[in-house]
Amino acid sequence: MALNNGMAMNNGLAKIETQKLKEEICHDDSAVPVKAHTLDELHSLQVKKSNPNTPIIDLQQTIFGSEADKNKQQLESISASLASLTRETGPKVVRGDPAKQAETPKVVHASHQHQHQHTPQFSNITDSALKFTHILYNLSPAELYEQAIQNEKGSFITSSGALATLSGAKTGRSPRDKRVVKDDTTSEELWWGKGSPNIEMDEQTFLINRERAVDYLCSLEKVYVNDQFLNWDPMNKLKVRIVSARAYHSLFMHNMCIRPTPEELENFGTPDFTIYNAGKFPCNRYTHYMTSSTSIDINLARKEMVILGTQYAGEMKKGLFSLMHYLMPKRQILSLHSGCNMGKDGDVALFFGLSGTGKTTLSTDHNRYLIGDDEHCWSDHGVSNIEGGCYAKCIDLSREKEPDIWNAIKFGTVLENVVFEEHIREVDYTDKSVTENTRAAYPIEYIPNAKIPCVGPHPKNVILLACDAFGVLPPVSKLNLAQTMYHFISGYTALVAGTEDGIKEPTATFSACFGAAFIMFHPTKYAAMLAEKMQKQGATGWLVNTGWSGGSYGSGSRIKLAHTRKIIDAIHSGELLNANYTKTEVFGLEIPNEIKGVPSEILDPVNTWPNKDAYKETLLKLGRLFRKNFEVFTNHKIGTDSNLTEEILAAGPNF
Ligand SMILES: Nc1ncnc2c1ncn2[C@@H]1O[C@H](COP(=O)(O)OP(=O)(O)O)[C@@H](O)[C@H]1O
Ligand SMILES: C=C(OP(=O)(O)O)C(=O)O
Ligand SMILES: [Ca+2]
Ligand SMILES: [Mn+2]
């Protein structure tokens, strides 16, 4: 603009004459003006209503019959889920975030049946009955991000778009705090006592803990409710409801369970199973059966699970897995703690293994379709994934070695307990400051070659993964059926000792069915089912050591992931089925003489140990540990075939 033209000199200073400039003022008229007169109006333009994830119930909808009825039914069902067992009615629930609600909400208040003899005869009005509980129902990942960032300290968006969260004091599962209600039915059916993961509690104590969780949840301003499915097998699908205090938990389960379509959600009805996750709110140590402030309680008769005093999200997914380990075998379907993938020709492989042995890593294979990374069912029709997402370990994760998992850590993914740089928010996957058990939970479709629906034909290969920190098990061996059963029931892996004071002894862990923490019946029940299915389908068993080679932990080194992948490739392709084998001493394992892409000298572990005596000594030591562990199973028959039982007992180490 020509300022100088309009200037007159006055006392040496330029005087600006604005009048004359009026016509010349620069207007930016290039954009159409906004259609709002106030900021509120502007903001109201930004967001449009949608179903079913709109958090605020539209009061106008009441006049349109069915839609509103459905909404009301949904809220009544949630109010019933959250009902105290000692008061007349469920809490006053209302949909939506209280922070966003301007008008007085329309309240739904479900009355519920008297389920308990101590129920008062008439209702005393209580403070809790006067308050609203706001329900954030099946929110989207974007909404849950906002909730987490606003309300939960330790929530951040990382540079790749994932939601970083902290799980609080617990960064892993608490198996010693798991309780299962022992009633007339379960006392007969389930596996109790030594070695069993099922630690008993009575019905009354369960109700005390349930009431504690429900009262805590209803005392909050808002709770998150997820209605989702388990199991991709349409005949054996389960409806689950997860009630939780944190957006982090809601997003975790959104990713891990099967996500309903809007139509499925609208017709969801009553859930088959409900989790009450009170997170950080502890149990009362004066309560019978409680030995810490954490309690994870399963009541099969009530179809409910209560979580008190832990925010570790894995409790929810593994709690549901325990449930499946009860329900599925009753329908002659075998539940499996395994990953699962399928080749282009439809050949399916199962990857059994304890935590950290490679189920997620090895089932995520760029050349194969991923069916699932952790929990499956094997029915007469084939395999199905129980879940809708994966839960990968991220310690030392690298883009080069695990590109598919790396790329899945993007918007929508929950990243637990990782450390990141404060400014750019780049995650340092090598950092163990919070825990070594850092995790990423993402929907299965974040893996590019996920097979959706996550089902497949009968398995051709059953791969047992053991991370042997003693370094004496071969990188791969072919198993006969009896050996497969022996190793399946043993469920061996090794944990490495704390890394602080130099080299320490690795400790052997034996976990029946490669998941003793989650089984409900005696291990031999699952083993018999597996034997029958493998025999019928002609599946081959393999033992793969993803642990140490060339010495035990401390002197040897971990078998290269690249080598393990070549071994797995050779199993899938059929190359290994027809290879030449040599039998090892002590364990009697058949090891291949060569595999494409793998140095032949590593195939027999004795070659990799500089000190052969130390190798033999360690081998015998592990053999004794196997023997000792198997003692408790020697009196059990496996299936109806007594020959098989004999063969299984003979399939262990021989020395
Ligand atoms: N040879 C190997 N085979 C498999 N995993 C390996 C190997 N070497 C190192 N790893 C690492 O071990 C971990 C295996 O964990 P994961 O696949 O999550 O186990 P799971 O799913 O059975 O709990 C990953 O962090 C992986 O990178
Ligand atoms: C989440 C778990 O499973 P995994 O380590 O096998 O993925 C767990 O055992 O808590
Ligand atoms: Ca596990
Ligand atoms: Mn896993």
Side-chain angles (χ1 to χ4, degrees):
M1 275 178 290
L3 261 181
N4 285 335
N5 296 347
M7 273 179 200
M9 298 302 283
N10 190 354
N11 295 333
L13 288 171
K15 188 184 169 199
I16 299 169
E17 289 175 29
T18 50
Q19 289 301 76
K20 282 187 182 171
L21 287 173
K22 249 192 169 160
E23 318 279 300
E24 296 168 49
I25 284 177
C26 173
H27 288 275
D28 181 3
D29 291 336
S30 55
V32 182
V34 80
K35 289 192 215 125
H37 298 97
T38 65
L39 270 181
D40 282 349
E41 256 182 65
L42 179 60
H43 287 178
S44 76
L45 293 176
Q46 188 184 20
V47 185
K48 67 176 186 183
K49 299 263 185 242
S50 72
N51 254 334
N53 283 337
T54 312
I56 300 166
I57 179 170
D58 189 350
L59 296 180
Q60 303 274 311
Q61 282 182 355
T62 345
I63 49 170
F64 296 116
S66 73
E67 179 104 13
D69 282 352
K70 282 243 165 77
N71 243 316
K72 190 160 168 262
Q73 275 167 23
Q74 243 171 20
L75 283 177
E76 272 176 357
S77 159
I78 293 167
S79 177
S81 287
L82 277 167
S84 153
L85 296 170
T86 56
R87 291 187 287 273
E88 284 266 288
T89 57
K92 285 179 183 166
V93 295
V94 59
R95 212 161 142 165
D97 191 333
K100 289 185 192 151
Q101 225 129 36
E103 314 154 66
T104 311
K106 194 177 154 67
V107 170
V108 175
H109 202 151
S111 62
H112 77 101
Q113 298 299 312
H114 295 198
Q115 304 196 9
H116 209 246
Q117 56 208 93
H118 306 303
T119 307
Q121 289 303 298
F122 44 83
S123 98
N124 295 318
I125 195 83
T126 61
D127 285 316
S128 44
L130 293 174
K131 93 173 254 302
F132 299 123
T133 302
H134 288 258
I135 303 297
L136 300 186
Y137 184 69
N138 276 35
L139 295 196
S140 67
E143 291 170 310
L144 290 167
Y145 265 56
E146 289 161 4
Q147 291 288 337
I149 288 162
Q150 278 168 33
N151 306 314
E152 295 165 21
K153 253 189 135 176
S155 305
F156 295 91
I157 300 178
T158 69
S159 62
S160 77
L163 181 71
T165 64
L166 288 176
S167 69
K170 303 273 179 178
T171 56
R173 274 182 302 103
S174 310
R176 272 174 307 242
D177 296 315
K178 183 175 167 185
R179 299 288 178 274
V180 178
V181 173
K182 192 172 191 175
D183 55 24
D184 291 347
T185 313
T186 57
S187 71
E188 292 295 314
E189 282 185 326
L190 303 191
W191 180 30
W192 302 100
K194 192 172 176 278
S196 159
N198 306 314
I199 309 172
E200 72 172 275
M201 91 189 308
D202 63 16
E203 165 84 4
Q204 185 61 28
T205 310
F206 178 86
L207 295 179
I208 291 169
N209 280 357
R210 182 198 190 274
E211 196 76 346
R212 195 168 168 91
V214 158
D215 279 344
Y216 168 72
L217 289 164
C218 292
S219 77
L220 300 173
E221 266 214 312
K222 51 188 175 189
V223 299
Y224 299 87
V225 176
N226 291 32
D227 278 348
Q228 298 187 256
F229 299 110
L230 290 183
N231 200 357
W232 286 87
D233 169 4
M235 306 280 284
N236 294 288
K237 194 156 124 177
L238 227 73
K239 297 189 281 182
V240 287
R241 172 168 294 168
I242 302 105
V243 187
S244 56
R246 289 189 62 178
Y248 146 47
H249 289 152
S250 184
L251 183 57
F252 177 88
M253 291 309 264
H254 171 90
N255 291 349
M256 294 310 300
C257 296
I258 300 169
R259 292 157 289 283
T261 63
E263 294 71 36
E264 286 170 331
L265 193 58
E266 211 174 298
N267 301 310
F268 194 81
T270 312
D272 300 315
F273 195 83
T274 304
I275 297 181
Y276 299 95
N277 185 355
K280 65 184 173 190
F281 195 73
C283 65
N284 183 338
R285 288 286 296 274
Y286 290 113
T287 312
H288 203 27
Y289 299 100
M290 298 297 104
T291 51
S292 80
S293 299
T294 301
S295 197
I296 300 108
D297 311 327
I298 297 179
N299 187 330
L300 293 168
R302 284 191 64 89
K303 304 182 169 96
E304 288 175 347
M305 176 175 164
V306 169
I307 300 176
L308 290 162
T310 173
Q311 299 180 73
Y312 181 65
E315 296 288 3
M316 294 183 283
K317 85 165 216 123
K318 283 304 209 278
L320 292 173
F321 190 36
S322 301
L323 170 73
M324 295 302 273
H325 266 315
Y326 174 73
L327 294 178
M328 293 301 119
K330 284 169 87 76
R331 302 182 190 181
Q332 313 312 316
I333 296 166
L334 178 60
S335 40
L336 320 156
H337 187 211
S338 76
C340 180
N341 67 18
M342 187 177 89
K344 306 266 181 304
D345 301 329
D347 62 298
V348 167
L350 296 178
F351 299 83
F352 282 100
L354 289 168
S355 187
T357 55
K359 296 183 298 298
T360 302
T361 307
L362 298 171
S363 56
T364 308
D365 180 334
H366 207 73
N367 300 313
R368 293 171 65 84
Y369 299 110
L370 178 66
I371 293 179
D373 80 322
D374 198 52
E375 307 175 5
H376 292 84
C377 287
W378 187 351
S379 76
D380 286 342
H381 307 287
V383 288
S384 62
N385 188 354
I386 291 173
E387 304 182 289
C390 303
Y391 194 30
K393 274 193 187 302
C394 328
I395 204 69
D396 297 326
L397 183 70
S398 80
R399 189 202 294 264
E400 296 69 40
K401 287 187 197 151
E402 290 165 78
D404 284 348
I405 295 176
W406 179 280
N407 290 327
I409 303 178
K410 57 183 182 183
F411 178 80
T413 297
V414 177
L415 255 183
E416 288 175 330
N417 301 320
V418 297
V419 174
F420 50 84
E421 186 273 323
E422 64 178 346
H423 176 48
I424 304 295
R425 304 282 167 80
E426 208 148 274
V427 177
D428 178 357
Y429 289 107
T430 66
D431 197 317
K432 302 175 182 171
S433 302
V434 180
T435 175
E436 191 166 335
N437 189 27
T438 54
R439 294 274 184 160
Y442 46 86
I444 191 161
E445 61 268 21
Y446 281 19
I447 297 297
N449 47 3
K451 168 151 186 338
I452 293 170
C454 304
V455 295
H458 292 289
K460 187 171 138 197
N461 290 299
V462 172
I463 302 169
L464 310 180
L465 304 171
C467 178
D468 175 28
F470 290 92
V472 294
L473 289 184
V476 59
S477 24
K478 188 168 80 171
L479 307 174
N480 61 34
L481 190 66
Q483 283 177 316
T484 308
M485 290 309 121
Y486 178 83
H487 287 278
F488 178 69
I489 295 168
S490 297
Y492 164 72
T493 198
L495 303 174
V496 295
T499 43
E500 279 132 54
D501 313 313
I503 307 147
K504 280 219 186 132
E505 284 276 271
T507 25
T509 312
F510 293 94
S511 180
C513 311
F514 290 102
F518 322 115
I519 60 180
M520 289 254 144
F521 301 112
H522 194 270
T524 49
K525 183 176 175 83
Y526 304 96
M529 288 179 78
L530 181 63
E532 195 230 88
K533 288 186 187 294
M534 284 185 67
Q535 217 160 13
K536 192 166 166 193
Q537 305 303 332
T540 308
W542 306 87
L543 182 64
V544 170
N545 174 13
T546 60
W548 270 254
S549 169
S552 297
Y553 172 80
S555 55
S557 54
R558 190 142 183 204
I559 295 169
K560 284 192 176 68
L561 179 56
H563 289 158
T564 303
R565 286 207 188 275
K566 290 281 181 224
I567 289 168
I568 301 288
D569 288 347
I571 294 175
H572 293 319
S573 73
E575 177 196 332
L576 267 198
L577 194 61
N578 306 310
N580 294 317
Y581 284 87
T582 309
K583 207 180 183 97
T584 68
E585 50 175 1
V586 181
F587 279 91
L589 296 166
E590 300 278 352
I591 55 175
N593 299 338
E594 54 176 27
I595 299 173
K596 221 185 289 155
V598 183
S600 294
E601 63 275 14
I602 74 162
L603 295 176
D604 187 345
V606 69
N607 299 331
T608 64
W609 282 62
N611 182 341
K612 310 297 174 201
D613 291 341
Y615 166 77
K616 188 68 193 280
E617 204 178 294
T618 312
L619 183 67
L620 289 171
K621 184 175 171 183
L622 184 61
R624 282 191 293 271
L625 291 170
F626 263 84
R627 239 185 217 173
K628 177 95 186 49
N629 172 70
F630 215 81
E631 275 168 13
V632 293
F633 299 111
T634 46
N635 298 322
H636 285 274
K637 232 175 110 186
I638 293 141
T640 46
D641 180 354
S642 50
N643 285 342
L644 184 63
T645 306
E646 288 298 309
E647 282 172 38
I648 292 170
L649 290 177
N654 223 316
F655 57 94

